[in-house]
Amino acid sequence: MRFLSDNAARVHPRVWDALRAADAGDAPYDGDALSARLDEAFGALFEREVAVLWVATGTAANCLALSAMVPPHGGVVCHREAHIEMDEGGAPGFYLHGAKLMLAEGEGAKITPGAIREVIDPIRDDVHQVQPHAISITQASEYGRAYRPDEISAIAGLARARGLGLHMDGARFANAAAFLGVPAAEAAGDVDALSFGCVKNGAMSAEAIVFFDPALADVVRYRRKRAGHLQSKGRFLAAQLLAMLDGDLWLENARSANAAAQAIAEGASERLMHPIEANEVFIRLTPAERETLRGAGYQFYDWGADAARFVAAWDSDLGEASTLGQAIAAL
Amino acid sequence: MRFLSDNAARVHPRVWDALRAADAGDAPYDGDALSARLDEAFGALFEREVAVLWVATGTAANCLALSAMVPPHGGVVCHREAHIEMDEGGAPGFYLHGAKLMLAEGEGAKITPGAIREVIDPIRDDVHQVQPHAISITQASEYGRAYRPDEISAIAGLARARGLGLHMDGARFANAAAFLGVPAAEAAGDVDALSFGCVKNGAMSAEAIVFFDPALADVVRYRRKRAGHLQSKGRFLAAQLLAMLDGDLWLENARSANAAAQAIAEGASERLMHPIEANEVFIRLTPAERETLRGAGYQFYDWGADAARFVAAWDSDLGEASTLGQAIAAL
Amino acid sequence: MRFLSDNAARVHPRVWDALRAADAGDAPYDGDALSARLDEAFGALFEREVAVLWVATGTAANCLALSAMVPPHGGVVCHREAHIEMDEGGAPGFYLHGAKLMLAEGEGAKITPGAIREVIDPIRDDVHQVQPHAISITQASEYGRAYRPDEISAIAGLARARGLGLHMDGARFANAAAFLGVPAAEAAGDVDALSFGCVKNGAMSAEAIVFFDPALADVVRYRRKRAGHLQSKGRFLAAQLLAMLDGDLWLENARSANAAAQAIAEGASERLMHPIEANEVFIRLTPAERETLRGAGYQFYDWGADAARFVAAWDSDLGEASTLGQAIAAL
Amino acid sequence: MRFLSDNAARVHPRVWDALRAADAGDAPYDGDALSARLDEAFGALFEREVAVLWVATGTAANCLALSAMVPPHGGVVCHREAHIEMDEGGAPGFYLHGAKLMLAEGEGAKITPGAIREVIDPIRDDVHQVQPHAISITQASEYGRAYRPDEISAIAGLARARGLGLHMDGARFANAAAFLGVPAAEAAGDVDALSFGCVKNGAMSAEAIVFFDPALADVVRYRRKRAGHLQSKGRFLAAQLLAMLDGDLWLENARSANAAAQAIAEGASERLMHPIEANEVFIRLTPAERETLRGAGYQFYDWGADAARFVAAWDSDLGEASTLGQAIAAL
C-alpha cells in the first residue's frame, strides 16, 4: 500500500503497447515517424500551434524550457518551494548558466501577481542587481493546488507587461486539469512553454516540453542535444507521449489518481493542510499516529515533524485509498 | 536493408523481458533493487571494484564522466574526430563549464602517447594557456578501430605520469571487446571511467558509466541529478543494463554486428578505408556506385564525396550483409 | 559634502606616489618585482604564510576566492543581504558556474553558527538538494557591523566541523579592524581566504585576495586569467597594495573614515539603526528631514522610505562630518 | 633594451596627467562625468554612433563583446593562433559559457572569407554540431599583420550573409591603423564590436569596447558587472581612454612603436618571417645568434627553435631599435 510518490508507479499497459509497437527500426534521434507526429497531436490538445520536444525527465524539461527565456545574467521568479528551487539539485543554475532564482511567497506554493511584484518591484533597474527575465509557476503546485484559469491570466498579464517569459512546470499538469475540469488549453493558459508531465502519470521515461512560442523550441533543440538529452531511439519517447494523449489516457489516469487522493482525504478533513486539488494529500499527523498507520502497512513520507504526505498514482487502488482514509479517520 | 547506423536498431527481446519484469513499482530514482545490483554486476565483469551509474545517452555518459576529472579551467585531450568534439553539439563545453577540448591527430581516429604529447608538450605551464587535466579515447574509435590492451596501457602510463585522468568513450566498447577477444577488463585497461554503451547494442535507453575510481562517482551522482539525468523510474535503465550483462548478451550482440560488418567488408577488401575491427565499414565508392547500391535497396550514409559508411547492428541480417558485400564486389 | 559612498573617494597621495614609482617598465602580468613582494608583505601583516593575488574589484576578489572552494554543483551560505547576493549582478552564479547562494538571517547583516545551521541542517544529504561547500561572511557587514574574533572562531569551528570552506568579504575589513582594535590576524580569524579591500580605503583599483590556504591560490591563478582579471601592468596593482600596507596606511585611512562616521552618529544617537562599528551610518530620517539635509548640501542615499545611509571615506572632512551630526541633532 | 613585449611599457605622461586630473571624487562605477563622454569621443573618431564601455584588460574586452553575440550553444570562428584561442587561459569558454572556438587557417594569423567558409561550410545544420554565431578577427594579427579595408569588407559581407556577428580584437588596433594610414573607421570596417586596445599603447589599465551595434552594449553592461569588471572608480579608466583619443595620442604612440619596429626590421630583411605592418618583428635567428644578441643586452622572446619575436612599444627608443637592427644585420 504505497502512497510514497507517484514517480515510481507502474507503466500503463497502453504505454507498454505503444513502446512495443515502436520497436521496429526507424530514423534515429527525433527523425522518426512518431516524433514527427507530436506537434500535431499536442496542437490538437491545446487548440493552437505548438512545437513539442520530448525529454526523459521533468528537471530537463523545466530547465531546457527556461534556458530559452533567460540569459545567464538574468533571473526567474518562482515560489520559494518550487521544485526548480528545492528538488532539482541546482539544475537551473547549470542549464541557465548561473542565472538566479528569485523566490516569491504564496499560500499552497502558488504565486500571485502581487507576490511576484513584491519580488521584482524592489529590484533596481541597474547592473548591480540581477534582472528578472521569466516567471515559472507549477500546475499543480508542490502542495497539490491548482491554478485557476483567471489566476494564470493575471500572471500572464503581468509577465507580458514586464516583458517576462512565462513557464509552467506541469509535472502534475494532468492532475490539475482533471481537477479543474477545463480543457487543457485553459489549464495551461497563456504560458510560453509547458513541461507536460507524463512519467508520474503512467509513462516510463518521457515528458513533453510544449512550446506555445515555437521560436523557443528552435533554441531548445540545440540545447537538448547539448545536454545529452537527445536520445538515439527517440521513437520510444514519442511513443509514450502519443499513447498518453491517445484517447485522453493522460486525463483518465489523472482522474484515477485524483480520486484516490480524494478517498484518502475524505477521512481526514479536519487534518488537511491543503485542499485536495490534485493527487497529493498533506495531513497533520503526530509521530504516534504515523507509526500506527505504518504499522498497518501504509507507506508515505513524513512532512516535517507533525504531518505526512500521501501521493496517489494512476495505479493506486481506490479501495486501498478508501481504507487508508478510514484508518486516518479512526485515529 | 538498413546499414545507416546502429543507434536506431531494435531492442533485444531479452531487454524487453527485463523491462517488463521491472514494471512493478519500486523506490524511485536509483533507490530500486535493480540499480543496487549494478556495482556488483559490472564489478564481476571488470574483475575489480567499480561504481556504476546509469544514464540515457552516451553524450551524458561521456560528459558526466569527464566533468569529475576536469575543472572548468582545464582541458581534455581527444582525437580531432572524437565524438565529443564532432557530434555532441558542444555538450563537453556545457558539462565542463567551458573547459577546452585539445585535439590530437591519429590514424583511424585513434591517438597514441606520441600524439598526445604533441598536443600537451608545447603547452607552457602558465596561466595564459589552458592546462590538460584528462585524456579521452574511444573504444572502438569513430572509424571502428580497436585499441589493443598494450596501446591503452601506454596511454594510461602517460596519463598517470602527467597527472591526467583517463576516460574511455565506449559507445561501441562491446564491438571492440568482441573483436579483440580479450576480457572486458583488458579491453578497457587502466582507465578511470568508461562510458559502457548499450543503446547501439540492443538496449533501449540506457548506458552505464563505469567508474574504476569510485570517488569520481560520488561527484557524478550530484552532477547527474543536476543535469536532469536522474530518471524517476531508474529501475528501467538498470534493468536494461543488467539484461545486457546477463549471459554476456552485450558480447553476443556485438559479435553479431561485427560478423555482419565483416560480411559486408568481404566483398570490398580493395575499397576498405580502415580495417574492420568493430561493426563499421568505410568503403571508397563513387557517387555512381552509391546510386547503384541505393537502387538495389541498401541504405547507408555518404562519407564525403567518394566514400560511404555502412554500420551493422546486433539485429542486422547476416544474409543481407553478405549480399551487400557481393553487390559491392560486383560493382 | 558627499557621504554617498566610500567607493568613489580620492586616491591617497601615498598611493599616487607608489603608482608613479612603479612606472618604469618591468615584467608583465604578475611577474614584476612588486607583485613578488605581496606574499611577504601580507604574511607579515597576518603573521602567517599567505599567498596573495591582486584583482581590480571586490566582486572579482569575492567570486574568485569562492570559486576555489565551491564546485559548480555546490552552495555557499551567506547573509540574505550579503553583497555577493544583493549587489554583484549575479557574479557568484557566473564565477561558480551556477552554484547556489544559501541565505541565512542575522541581525546587522551578520550571521552566526546558529543561523548557518538553520540553513544547512534541513538540507537532506541527497542529490536532489544542493549541498553547502562554503560559508561567506562580511567584515564589516553590509550594515557596518564588525564580527568579533570569538564570533569568527565559532563560525570557523562550524565550517571545519562540516567540511566547509570559509571566506571573508573584507571590502571594509580595514574599518572593522580599526574599530576592533585588534591585529589583522584576529580581525580575519581562521578563514581560508579574505578579500582584503583597498579601493574604498584610498587605493585606485586594487584589492588583495589573501589566501591562508595557499592551495586555493594555485587554482585561482588560472581562474583569474580566465576571468580577464590578470592585468598586463600588474605592477600598478601591486604598488597600490604595498602602499596601503606600508606604515599601516590601510589602518590610518580606516581610522579617519571611522572617526568621521562616529562624528555623524554623535548627533543622531536616538535615530541610529545600527551601532557604528565601521564607517557607515544608518539613520532613521523622514523624507522631510532628508530634504532638509539635502537642502543644506549633504549628499547621501535613501535607505528605504524612512531612513538614510551615510558613508564616510578616508578623505571625509571630520569637520563636515561633525557639522552634519549637529544638523541631524537639530532636526 | 627591452623588446619583450609592449604590454608592460610605461604609462604615457599625458595619461598620467589625465589620471591625476580625475582624482577628485565623482559618482562611482560608470556614472562619472568622464565615462559619460566616451560615446561621443569614440563616435567622433569612428564617425558614427557608438556605445563604449571600459574594461581593464583585452581578454575581458574580447570575451565580453563576444558574449553578446554568441549563445552558450554556439561557436566563434577565429584564426588558429588567435589570442582568444591561444593566450587567454580559456576565457572565451568561461565568458561564453562553453561556446566553441572554430579554428580557421590563414597566413600571418589573418583569416579570409575562404578560410572561414572552409570551417563553416562543412558544418551540417543540425543539432549534433555546434553552429557558428560570430567571427572574430585580430587587427593587427598575432604576427603583426594588418587587415586592409577591403579584406574586412569581404569578411563583413560573409558575416552578414550568414547571419554571424563580427568582432575585432584590436589589442594593437592603433598600430594597424597607423600602418594603414586610413581613418579609424576604415581600419575597423563594418564590425559589430571592436576591442580598442590602449594598455599596450600608453595607457595603464583601460581598454575600450566599442559597440557599433549599441544593442550589444546593453547586454554587456550587465555582463561586465557580473564579471567583476565594473570598477568603482571607473573615472580613472575613462580618463585614460579620453587621454588616448585626445590629440590622437593613440595614433602618435602607435606610430612611434611602428617606427621602432621598422628600424629593427631594416637590418633583418632577409630574415623576416612576416612583413612589418605594426610593431612586431618576427625574425629567423639561430640559438647562437640569439645568444649573441642577448649578450649584447637585448631582451626578446624566442619564437620556436629558430626564430625570435621583438616587440616595440610606444616608448621604445628609436636609436636602440636601429642599433638592434644593425646588430642583426651584422650577425
Side-chain angles (χ1 to χ4, degrees), chain B residues 107-128:
Chain B
E107 211 227 311
K110 286 170 59 183
I111 57 176
T112 60
I116 295 165
R117 277 193 298 263
E118 265 178 53
V119 171
I120 64 177
D121 282 352
I123 296 172
R124 297 187 315 271
D125 182 15
D126 70 29
V127 301
H128 302 273

PDB file of all heavy atoms in Angstrom, chain B residues 107-128:
ATOM      1  N   GLU B 107      45.832   8.102 -36.831  1.00  0.00           N
ATOM      2  CA  GLU B 107      45.204   7.298 -37.883  1.00  0.00           C
ATOM      3  C   GLU B 107      44.008   6.538 -37.317  1.00  0.00           C
ATOM      4  O   GLU B 107      44.071   6.044 -36.193  1.00  0.00           O
ATOM      5  CB  GLU B 107      46.260   6.304 -38.389  1.00  0.00           C
ATOM      6  CG  GLU B 107      46.100   5.951 -39.839  1.00  0.00           C
ATOM      7  CD  GLU B 107      46.184   4.450 -40.015  1.00  0.00           C
ATOM      8  OE1 GLU B 107      47.134   3.853 -39.481  1.00  0.00           O
ATOM      9  OE2 GLU B 107      45.259   3.887 -40.651  1.00  0.00           O
ATOM     10  N   GLY B 108      42.970   6.468 -38.111  1.00  0.00           N
ATOM     11  CA  GLY B 108      41.810   5.695 -37.706  1.00  0.00           C
ATOM     12  C   GLY B 108      41.089   6.269 -36.505  1.00  0.00           C
ATOM     13  O   GLY B 108      40.367   5.553 -35.810  1.00  0.00           O
ATOM     14  N   ALA B 109      41.303   7.550 -36.279  1.00  0.00           N
ATOM     15  CA  ALA B 109      40.677   8.234 -35.139  1.00  0.00           C
ATOM     16  C   ALA B 109      41.151   7.675 -33.800  1.00  0.00           C
ATOM     17  O   ALA B 109      40.469   7.809 -32.782  1.00  0.00           O
ATOM     18  CB  ALA B 109      39.154   8.229 -35.232  1.00  0.00           C
ATOM     19  N   LYS B 110      42.302   7.040 -33.808  1.00  0.00           N
ATOM     20  CA  LYS B 110      42.931   6.604 -32.552  1.00  0.00           C
ATOM     21  C   LYS B 110      44.083   7.551 -32.217  1.00  0.00           C
ATOM     22  O   LYS B 110      44.716   8.107 -33.115  1.00  0.00           O
ATOM     23  CB  LYS B 110      43.467   5.176 -32.686  1.00  0.00           C
ATOM     24  CG  LYS B 110      42.391   4.097 -32.678  1.00  0.00           C
ATOM     25  CD  LYS B 110      42.945   2.733 -33.052  1.00  0.00           C
ATOM     26  CE  LYS B 110      44.039   2.243 -32.135  1.00  0.00           C
ATOM     27  NZ  LYS B 110      44.593   0.929 -32.608  1.00  0.00           N
ATOM     28  N   ILE B 111      44.357   7.694 -30.938  1.00  0.00           N
ATOM     29  CA  ILE B 111      45.507   8.509 -30.550  1.00  0.00           C
ATOM     30  C   ILE B 111      46.537   7.648 -29.836  1.00  0.00           C
ATOM     31  O   ILE B 111      46.222   6.573 -29.323  1.00  0.00           O
ATOM     32  CB  ILE B 111      45.104   9.725 -29.687  1.00  0.00           C
ATOM     33  CG1 ILE B 111      44.333   9.285 -28.427  1.00  0.00           C
ATOM     34  CG2 ILE B 111      44.284  10.697 -30.499  1.00  0.00           C
ATOM     35  CD1 ILE B 111      43.985  10.441 -27.497  1.00  0.00           C
ATOM     36  N   THR B 112      47.745   8.168 -29.821  1.00  0.00           N
ATOM     37  CA  THR B 112      48.865   7.457 -29.206  1.00  0.00           C
ATOM     38  C   THR B 112      49.529   8.376 -28.197  1.00  0.00           C
ATOM     39  O   THR B 112      49.303   9.595 -28.211  1.00  0.00           O
ATOM     40  CB  THR B 112      49.917   7.104 -30.273  1.00  0.00           C
ATOM     41  OG1 THR B 112      50.364   8.353 -30.852  1.00  0.00           O
ATOM     42  CG2 THR B 112      49.318   6.223 -31.374  1.00  0.00           C
ATOM     43  N   PRO B 113      50.362   7.810 -27.334  1.00  0.00           N
ATOM     44  CA  PRO B 113      51.113   8.682 -26.419  1.00  0.00           C
ATOM     45  C   PRO B 113      51.865   9.766 -27.183  1.00  0.00           C
ATOM     46  O   PRO B 113      51.913  10.915 -26.738  1.00  0.00           O
ATOM     47  CB  PRO B 113      52.067   7.709 -25.724  1.00  0.00           C
ATOM     48  CG  PRO B 113      51.325   6.411 -25.710  1.00  0.00           C
ATOM     49  CD  PRO B 113      50.588   6.364 -27.033  1.00  0.00           C
ATOM     50  N   GLY B 114      52.410   9.410 -28.324  1.00  0.00           N
ATOM     51  CA  GLY B 114      53.129  10.414 -29.097  1.00  0.00           C
ATOM     52  C   GLY B 114      52.221  11.550 -29.536  1.00  0.00           C
ATOM     53  O   GLY B 114      52.578  12.732 -29.435  1.00  0.00           O
ATOM     54  N   ALA B 115      51.060  11.188 -30.031  1.00  0.00           N
ATOM     55  CA  ALA B 115      50.120  12.214 -30.500  1.00  0.00           C
ATOM     56  C   ALA B 115      49.647  13.087 -29.347  1.00  0.00           C
ATOM     57  O   ALA B 115      49.435  14.295 -29.499  1.00  0.00           O
ATOM     58  CB  ALA B 115      48.930  11.538 -31.180  1.00  0.00           C
ATOM     59  N   ILE B 116      49.465  12.467 -28.202  1.00  0.00           N
ATOM     60  CA  ILE B 116      49.033  13.234 -27.022  1.00  0.00           C
ATOM     61  C   ILE B 116      50.138  14.206 -26.606  1.00  0.00           C
ATOM     62  O   ILE B 116      49.871  15.379 -26.319  1.00  0.00           O
ATOM     63  CB  ILE B 116      48.682  12.277 -25.866  1.00  0.00           C
ATOM     64  CG1 ILE B 116      47.474  11.419 -26.247  1.00  0.00           C
ATOM     65  CG2 ILE B 116      48.415  13.049 -24.573  1.00  0.00           C
ATOM     66  CD1 ILE B 116      47.244  10.206 -25.351  1.00  0.00           C
ATOM     67  N   ARG B 117      51.380  13.695 -26.624  1.00  0.00           N
ATOM     68  CA  ARG B 117      52.486  14.583 -26.241  1.00  0.00           C
ATOM     69  C   ARG B 117      52.636  15.744 -27.208  1.00  0.00           C
ATOM     70  O   ARG B 117      52.984  16.855 -26.805  1.00  0.00           O
ATOM     71  CB  ARG B 117      53.791  13.784 -26.147  1.00  0.00           C
ATOM     72  CG  ARG B 117      53.950  13.072 -24.805  1.00  0.00           C
ATOM     73  CD  ARG B 117      55.369  12.560 -24.600  1.00  0.00           C
ATOM     74  NE  ARG B 117      55.720  11.584 -25.619  1.00  0.00           N
ATOM     75  CZ  ARG B 117      55.641  10.260 -25.442  1.00  0.00           C
ATOM     76  NH1 ARG B 117      55.225   9.767 -24.301  1.00  0.00           N
ATOM     77  NH2 ARG B 117      55.970   9.442 -26.424  1.00  0.00           N
ATOM     78  N   GLU B 118      52.358  15.489 -28.467  1.00  0.00           N
ATOM     79  CA  GLU B 118      52.432  16.598 -29.443  1.00  0.00           C
ATOM     80  C   GLU B 118      51.453  17.716 -29.091  1.00  0.00           C
ATOM     81  O   GLU B 118      51.665  18.875 -29.430  1.00  0.00           O
ATOM     82  CB  GLU B 118      52.132  16.090 -30.856  1.00  0.00           C
ATOM     83  CG  GLU B 118      53.395  15.751 -31.635  1.00  0.00           C
ATOM     84  CD  GLU B 118      53.074  15.192 -33.013  1.00  0.00           C
ATOM     85  OE1 GLU B 118      52.307  15.866 -33.739  1.00  0.00           O
ATOM     86  OE2 GLU B 118      53.560  14.095 -33.334  1.00  0.00           O
ATOM     87  N   VAL B 119      50.369  17.343 -28.438  1.00  0.00           N
ATOM     88  CA  VAL B 119      49.389  18.352 -28.034  1.00  0.00           C
ATOM     89  C   VAL B 119      49.786  19.011 -26.724  1.00  0.00           C
ATOM     90  O   VAL B 119      49.729  20.235 -26.594  1.00  0.00           O
ATOM     91  CB  VAL B 119      47.987  17.713 -27.889  1.00  0.00           C
ATOM     92  CG1 VAL B 119      47.007  18.695 -27.251  1.00  0.00           C
ATOM     93  CG2 VAL B 119      47.480  17.261 -29.237  1.00  0.00           C
ATOM     94  N   ILE B 120      50.203  18.209 -25.775  1.00  0.00           N
ATOM     95  CA  ILE B 120      50.379  18.784 -24.429  1.00  0.00           C
ATOM     96  C   ILE B 120      51.790  19.305 -24.164  1.00  0.00           C
ATOM     97  O   ILE B 120      51.960  20.210 -23.348  1.00  0.00           O
ATOM     98  CB  ILE B 120      49.954  17.799 -23.314  1.00  0.00           C
ATOM     99  CG1 ILE B 120      50.831  16.541 -23.286  1.00  0.00           C
ATOM    100  CG2 ILE B 120      48.493  17.415 -23.469  1.00  0.00           C
ATOM    101  CD1 ILE B 120      50.462  15.580 -22.139  1.00  0.00           C
ATOM    102  N   ASP B 121      52.771  18.762 -24.836  1.00  0.00           N
ATOM    103  CA  ASP B 121      54.126  19.225 -24.537  1.00  0.00           C
ATOM    104  C   ASP B 121      54.343  20.697 -24.880  1.00  0.00           C
ATOM    105  O   ASP B 121      55.054  21.395 -24.139  1.00  0.00           O
ATOM    106  CB  ASP B 121      55.168  18.343 -25.242  1.00  0.00           C
ATOM    107  CG  ASP B 121      55.370  17.010 -24.516  1.00  0.00           C
ATOM    108  OD1 ASP B 121      54.828  16.853 -23.410  1.00  0.00           O
ATOM    109  OD2 ASP B 121      56.052  16.121 -25.065  1.00  0.00           O
ATOM    110  N   PRO B 122      53.771  21.202 -25.967  1.00  0.00           N
ATOM    111  CA  PRO B 122      54.012  22.627 -26.245  1.00  0.00           C
ATOM    112  C   PRO B 122      53.247  23.577 -25.326  1.00  0.00           C
ATOM    113  O   PRO B 122      53.454  24.787 -25.399  1.00  0.00           O
ATOM    114  CB  PRO B 122      53.504  22.802 -27.691  1.00  0.00           C
ATOM    115  CG  PRO B 122      53.340  21.417 -28.233  1.00  0.00           C
ATOM    116  CD  PRO B 122      53.060  20.539 -27.049  1.00  0.00           C
ATOM    117  N   ILE B 123      52.364  23.042 -24.511  1.00  0.00           N
ATOM    118  CA  ILE B 123      51.596  23.938 -23.638  1.00  0.00           C
ATOM    119  C   ILE B 123      52.494  24.422 -22.514  1.00  0.00           C
ATOM    120  O   ILE B 123      52.981  23.638 -21.707  1.00  0.00           O
ATOM    121  CB  ILE B 123      50.366  23.207 -23.059  1.00  0.00           C
ATOM    122  CG1 ILE B 123      49.410  22.833 -24.189  1.00  0.00           C
ATOM    123  CG2 ILE B 123      49.665  24.065 -22.014  1.00  0.00           C
ATOM    124  CD1 ILE B 123      48.259  21.943 -23.769  1.00  0.00           C
ATOM    125  N   ARG B 124      52.725  25.713 -22.491  1.00  0.00           N
ATOM    126  CA  ARG B 124      53.502  26.280 -21.394  1.00  0.00           C
ATOM    127  C   ARG B 124      52.714  26.129 -20.099  1.00  0.00           C
ATOM    128  O   ARG B 124      51.512  26.331 -20.065  1.00  0.00           O
ATOM    129  CB  ARG B 124      53.743  27.782 -21.617  1.00  0.00           C
ATOM    130  CG  ARG B 124      54.548  28.148 -22.833  1.00  0.00           C
ATOM    131  CD  ARG B 124      54.842  29.667 -22.824  1.00  0.00           C
ATOM    132  NE  ARG B 124      53.654  30.455 -22.490  1.00  0.00           N
ATOM    133  CZ  ARG B 124      52.775  30.889 -23.401  1.00  0.00           C
ATOM    134  NH1 ARG B 124      52.932  30.637 -24.681  1.00  0.00           N
ATOM    135  NH2 ARG B 124      51.725  31.594 -23.003  1.00  0.00           N
ATOM    136  N   ASP B 125      53.400  25.813 -19.042  1.00  0.00           N
ATOM    137  CA  ASP B 125      52.722  25.707 -17.758  1.00  0.00           C
ATOM    138  C   ASP B 125      52.560  27.094 -17.157  1.00  0.00           C
ATOM    139  O   ASP B 125      53.178  27.444 -16.161  1.00  0.00           O
ATOM    140  CB  ASP B 125      53.507  24.786 -16.817  1.00  0.00           C
ATOM    141  CG  ASP B 125      52.773  24.630 -15.484  1.00  0.00           C
ATOM    142  OD1 ASP B 125      51.584  24.979 -15.419  1.00  0.00           O
ATOM    143  OD2 ASP B 125      53.407  24.179 -14.516  1.00  0.00           O
ATOM    144  N   ASP B 126      51.753  27.889 -17.808  1.00  0.00           N
ATOM    145  CA  ASP B 126      51.434  29.189 -17.220  1.00  0.00           C
ATOM    146  C   ASP B 126      49.941  29.428 -17.389  1.00  0.00           C
ATOM    147  O   ASP B 126      49.243  28.670 -18.058  1.00  0.00           O
ATOM    148  CB  ASP B 126      52.307  30.301 -17.814  1.00  0.00           C
ATOM    149  CG  ASP B 126      51.988  30.641 -19.249  1.00  0.00           C
ATOM    150  OD1 ASP B 126      50.832  30.494 -19.692  1.00  0.00           O
ATOM    151  OD2 ASP B 126      52.917  31.070 -19.948  1.00  0.00           O
ATOM    152  N   VAL B 127      49.471  30.483 -16.755  1.00  0.00           N
ATOM    153  CA  VAL B 127      48.022  30.688 -16.700  1.00  0.00           C
ATOM    154  C   VAL B 127      47.416  31.170 -18.006  1.00  0.00           C
ATOM    155  O   VAL B 127      46.194  31.233 -18.140  1.00  0.00           O
ATOM    156  CB  VAL B 127      47.647  31.697 -15.588  1.00  0.00           C
ATOM    157  CG1 VAL B 127      48.147  31.188 -14.234  1.00  0.00           C
ATOM    158  CG2 VAL B 127      48.221  33.077 -15.886  1.00  0.00           C
ATOM    159  N   HIS B 128      48.274  31.520 -18.979  1.00  0.00           N
ATOM    160  CA  HIS B 128      47.743  32.019 -20.244  1.00  0.00           C
ATOM    161  C   HIS B 128      47.236  30.903 -21.135  1.00  0.00           C
ATOM    162  O   HIS B 128      46.522  31.152 -22.097  1.00  0.00           O
ATOM    163  CB  HIS B 128      48.812  32.839 -20.971  1.00  0.00           C
ATOM    164  CG  HIS B 128      49.296  33.982 -20.152  1.00  0.00           C
ATOM    165  ND1 HIS B 128      48.654  35.203 -20.161  1.00  0.00           N
ATOM    166  CD2 HIS B 128      50.298  34.091 -19.256  1.00  0.00           C
ATOM    167  CE1 HIS B 128      49.270  36.019 -19.317  1.00  0.00           C
ATOM    168  NE2 HIS B 128      50.267  35.375 -18.753  1.00  0.00           N
TER     169      HIS B 128
END
